[in-house]
């Protein structure tokens, strides 16, 4: 049986491992704390259409292809584990001022021009679908096909899928690719990808996020993902059965994952500007993670050598990218290429190469 080492046990590594094991590979995942990094911290938003912007055509089409795979992927997880991972069916981006409203029209024109569905809503239209939003919300952009996922339920479900498929998860770190003697290796170490393969242009982008619990008497969470820009800062509210996830700050701070006072303060203030009743919720958890950023905000999925494949650099869209990445890596393991993942080919960056010093790459 052919052997595969997957380095990194976040949602990307686990889904790659599951898929490969189902295709007949003997798979081992290496991660000292599988599922505990950015995958655990994330909000679970799947919003490539709402985040569309003129000129970013490749990111839109890659994101749309990723989104299209989610319903079937979620069905497979549910069939394997009984776990329903979706927590919302739609996304609503709201505008608090005239400039935001103009941006929503720009996004709508661009994205619908590519054949995807988005609907502009006026003030009463927003109120009708989400009555608890602030009276200052003046317009909205509804994405009827953009759901959200409970990322923590997803992590747990993928671990179970892996276990059922015979994947071994070893709580060990890998310090050099040369240490592994498997037939194939997948690097799925997220923001840390460049530690094992220094030419990969992946850098950590810090994000702080809050988890709020609903309290008796407080208005219920919104039914949809709510996105907004407040004081120039992007904000999202992702419903959960028992509360709301509020995200996320975004800045470059290396691998620091301390939660700052300023981060929490801004997130709460911005969220209250959109959903005033949020102050009645319990502040349950604060956390921070390192998104794996790339220069063009597209991931790196492709072959580095005959033996080594990278699946990293998913930036703000790691959860969104899970099914298409697993499929693209499965194709590479079968010496094929998934056409819809070509935009993520790592050699679009000229600096990506085999490491010069560590050697041993077969
Ligand atoms: N997935 C959204 C974020 O990274 O903030």
């Amino acid at each position: 049986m052919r052997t595969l080492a997957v380095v990194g046990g976040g949602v990307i590594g686990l889904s790659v491992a599951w898929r490969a094991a189902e295709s007949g590979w003997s798979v081992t995942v290496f991660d000292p704390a599988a599922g505990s990094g950015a995958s655990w911290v994330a909000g679970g938003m799947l919003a490539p259409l709402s985040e569309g912007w003129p000129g970013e055509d490749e990111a839109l089409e890659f994101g749309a292809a990723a989104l299209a795979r989610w319903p079937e992927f979620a069905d497979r997880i549910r069939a394997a584990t009984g776990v329903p991972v979706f927590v919302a069916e739609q996304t609503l981006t709201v505008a608090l001022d005239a400039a935001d409203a103009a941006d929503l029209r720009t996004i709508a024109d661009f994205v619908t021009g590519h054949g995807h569905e988005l609907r502009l809503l006026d003030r009463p239209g927003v109120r009708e679908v989400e009555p608890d939003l602030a009276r200052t919300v003046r317009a909205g952009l509804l994405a009827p096909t953009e759901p959200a996922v409970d990322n923590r339920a997803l992590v747990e479900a993928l671990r179970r899928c892996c276990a059922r498929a015979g994947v071994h998860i070893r709580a060990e770190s890998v310090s050099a690719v040369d240490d592994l003697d498997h037939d194939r290796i997948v690097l799925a170490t997220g923001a840390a990808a460049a530690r094992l393969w220094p030419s990969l242009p992946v850098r950590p982008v810090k994000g702080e996020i809050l988890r709020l619990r609903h309290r008796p008497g407080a208005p219920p969470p919104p039914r949809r993902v709510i996105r907004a820009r407040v004081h120039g800062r992007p904000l999202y509210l992702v419903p959960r059965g028992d509360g709301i996830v509020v995200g996320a700050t975004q800045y470059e701070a290396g691998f620091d994952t301390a939660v700052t006072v300023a981060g929490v303060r801004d997130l709460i203030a911005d969220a209250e500007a959109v959903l005033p009743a949020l102050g009645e919720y319990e502040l349950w958890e604060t956390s921070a993670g390192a998104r794996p950023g790339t220069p063009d905000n597209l991931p790196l999925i492709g072959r580095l050598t005959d033996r080594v494949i990278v699946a990293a650099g998913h930036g703000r869209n790691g959860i969104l990218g899970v099914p298409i990445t697993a499929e693209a890596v499965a194709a590479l393991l079968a010496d094929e290429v998934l056409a819809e993942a070509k935009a993520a080919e790592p050699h679009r960056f000229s600096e990506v190469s085999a490491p010069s010093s560590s050697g041993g790459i077969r």
Side-chain angles (χ1 to χ4, degrees):
M1 200 181 215
R2 294 169 303 170
T3 58
L4 173 69
V6 178
V7 189
V11 286
I12 297 292
L14 292 174
S15 58
V16 163
W18 177 31
R19 176 87 184 227
E22 286 196 323
S23 305
W25 289 79
S26 170
V27 185
T28 305
V29 172
F30 293 86
D31 193 318
S36 67
S39 301
W40 191 253
V41 173
M45 196 176 53
L46 311 178
L49 311 182
S50 300
E51 294 193 350
W53 193 253
E56 297 177 4
D57 302 62
E58 278 197 326
L60 175 65
E61 291 311 342
F62 180 82
L67 180 63
R69 284 163 167 78
W70 255 103
E72 198 240 328
F73 186 74
D75 284 349
R76 288 184 52 230
I77 288 179
R78 190 162 189 165
T81 65
V83 175
V85 293
F86 286 132
V87 288
E89 292 178 0
Q90 301 186 336
T91 295
L92 176 66
T93 306
V94 298
L96 296 172
D97 59 28
D100 289 346
D103 281 355
L104 296 189
R105 287 193 292 275
T106 300
I107 296 167
D109 287 347
F110 172 62
V111 173
T112 58
H114 278 257
H116 306 293
E117 187 183 2
L118 287 180
R119 249 179 267 155
L120 284 165
L121 302 180
D122 58 10
R123 197 188 290 264
V126 172
R127 190 134 312 126
E128 194 178 317
V129 295
E130 292 290 351
D132 292 320
L133 296 187
R135 300 278 143 186
T136 45
V137 170
R138 58 193 290 160
L141 183 63
L142 182 67
T145 61
E146 284 184 338
V149 165
D150 181 334
N151 54 301
R152 293 182 176 181
L154 175 66
V155 167
E156 298 300 350
L158 284 173
R159 291 179 77 111
R160 285 166 59 188
C161 291
C162 282
R164 282 169 52 119
V167 172
H168 302 283
I169 299 184
R170 283 172 56 173
E172 294 169 24
S173 56
V174 172
S175 50
V177 172
D178 311 10
D179 295 343
L180 301 169
D181 61 3
H182 300 69
D183 296 321
R184 294 283 184 278
I185 297 163
V186 175
L187 302 182
T189 43
R195 285 184 181 154
L196 282 178
W197 205 274
S199 64
L200 291 174
V202 180
R203 68 187 197 287
V205 180
K206 182 174 178 178
E208 293 153 312
I209 195 163
L210 314 178
R211 284 178 155 76
L212 312 183
R213 284 271 166 98
H214 183 258
R215 281 163 28 97
R223 290 182 44 220
R224 295 163 183 78
V225 175
I226 307 296
R227 296 161 31 85
R229 185 166 286 277
V230 185
H231 304 307
R233 296 185 287 260
L235 172 81
Y236 52 84
L237 312 176
V238 188
R240 291 289 190 267
D242 59 352
I244 305 175
V245 177
V246 179
T249 59
Q250 182 161 320
Y251 52 102
E252 313 263 339
F255 284 94
D256 167 41
T257 51
V259 178
T260 65
V261 173
V264 175
R265 177 199 64 207
D266 289 348
L267 286 170
I268 292 174
D270 295 351
E272 277 194 292
V274 173
L275 186 67
L278 183 129
E280 297 173 41
Y281 280 61
E282 177 181 357
L283 178 55
W284 180 258
E285 184 192 302
T286 65
S287 52
R291 305 176 184 91
T294 65
D296 61 1
N297 298 324
L298 277 162
L300 302 163
I301 308 168
R303 194 177 295 288
L304 296 172
T305 68
D306 285 348
R307 198 165 72 106
V308 182
I309 290 167
V310 62
H314 292 73
R316 288 169 51 85
N317 291 309
I319 306 290
L320 172 68
V322 164
I324 195 170
T325 304
E327 190 177 330
V329 173
L332 291 167
L333 290 171
D335 294 325
E336 292 164 8
V337 172
L338 178 69
E340 287 160 296
K342 274 191 178 160
E345 215 287 319
H347 296 285
R348 68 187 185 278
F349 296 109
S350 55
E351 69 266 35
V352 174
S353 60
S356 53
S357 55
S358 61
I361 308 301
R362 287 169 276 240

